Amino acid sequence: KQEVTQIPAALSVPEGENLVLNCSFTDSAIYNLQWFRQDPGKGLTSLLLIQSSQREQTSGRLNASLDKSSGRSTLYIAASQPGDSATYLCAALTGTASKLTFGTGTRLQVTL
Amino acid sequence: NAGVMQNPRHLVRRRGQEARLRCSPMKGHSHVYWYRQLPEEGLKFMVYLQKENIIDESGMPKERFSAEFPKEGPSILRIQQVVRGDSAAYFCASSPLPPQRQAGNEQFFGPGTRLTVL
């Protein structure tokens, strides 16, 4: 059974800092891993999808990496801004299942 | 191309009533997934449907919950005789392909329906 863990659970940083969010998964037989952003009371916005054959994906100030062998993914946010404040979720699509397994998220606050 | 649509966005029901949540997938998507997010918890998979077929319902509670995705119209998640513990945000996602068909097959999420049971 796939289990996904995210650390830290919460993070507060001053504007302009670079930061790393961590995601780990127990079953390395994944098809892909997605990173999402969720604002309070809102839906999920897809940020990046990394296929199992890929090592990283980049979109603007975001860079996500994937290391299947160690069961880890990281989301790197460069030059953080107050507008980045949200909960960030990672989710793994496991090869034997049809569902995404989500982590519990990292709540990020970027302060002025 | 409109995104995944869900309605209503907010739903209030009294204990014992029925709740019907609707999901219209993105155009061209025939694979629908329902997830539930309980307060202060992560999203949990409930059910995966293709047109007229339930493919995986391993996350559905055994009683009171049902889902369908008819040939025409939206997917429906139905909760009978709601209880306070059903209060949660229910999210629908869709994809153009089956989950394992292509590694780049992305699930696109709707805005969710927030169910409150009084």
Side-chain angles (χ1 to χ4, degrees), chain B:
Chain B
N1 187 7
V4 178
M5 311 275 285
Q6 289 188 250
N7 66 82
R9 296 290 304 276
H10 300 273
L11 182 61
V12 178
R13 285 287 179 267
R14 297 190 180 279
R15 282 179 296 170
Q17 292 184 320
E18 179 179 289
R20 280 185 177 238
L21 288 62
R22 294 174 183 77
C23 169
S24 296
M26 289 180 69
K27 187 176 181 180
H29 290 194
S30 58
H31 303 269
V32 166
Y33 317 81
W34 286 92
Y35 295 82
R36 177 167 67 172
Q37 186 175 37
L38 293 167
E40 304 303 320
E41 294 189 19
L43 278 84
K44 304 289 186 187
F45 168 81
M46 299 182 75
V47 62
Y48 159 43
L49 310 103
Q50 293 178 22
K51 284 285 188 181
E52 299 184 276
N53 288 300
I54 297 175
I55 306 301
D56 180 354
E57 56 182 348
S58 58
M60 288 279 270
K62 293 290 185 273
E63 298 178 346
R64 301 187 298 106
F65 285 73
S66 62
E68 64 177 5
F69 189 16
K71 186 176 180 180
E72 301 290 338
S75 175
I76 306 288
L77 180 66
R78 181 184 180 201
I79 311 173
Q80 295 178 290
Q81 299 175 336
V82 296
V83 301
R84 289 215 174 107
D86 297 332
S87 296
Y90 292 82
F91 291 96
C92 168
S94 72
S95 68
L97 297 171
Q100 297 91 353
R101 179 70 62 83
Q102 183 182 10
N105 188 32
E106 186 174 348
Q107 293 187 20
F108 296 86
F109 280 74
T113 293
R114 278 152 185 83
L115 172 66
T116 301
V117 179
L118 301 177

Side-chain angles (χ1 to χ4, degrees), chain A residues 3-80:
Chain A
E3 293 182 2
V4 179
T5 305
Q6 291 186 248
I7 54 171
L11 181 63
S12 181
V13 300
E15 182 180 14
E17 274 205 7
N18 303 325
L19 57 102
V20 175
L21 307 181
N22 296 292
C23 171
S24 61
F25 46 94
T26 55
D27 184 351
S28 62
I30 62 170
Y31 269 76
N32 61 47
L33 187 137
Q34 285 186 249
W35 282 92
F36 296 89
R37 169 187 172 136
Q38 185 176 28
D39 293 279
K42 303 291 185 182
L44 278 69
T45 301
S46 180
L47 298 173
L48 289 164
L49 179 148
I50 312 177
Q51 300 181 32
S52 60
S53 60
Q54 297 174 327
R55 297 282 298 188
E56 64 179 307
Q57 282 286 330
T58 298
S59 176
R61 295 182 293 109
L62 305 179
N63 176 276
S65 67
L66 176 65
D67 185 343
K68 279 182 58 178
S69 61
S70 66
R72 294 182 182 178
S73 176
T74 60
L75 180 66
Y76 175 82
I77 303 177
S80 58

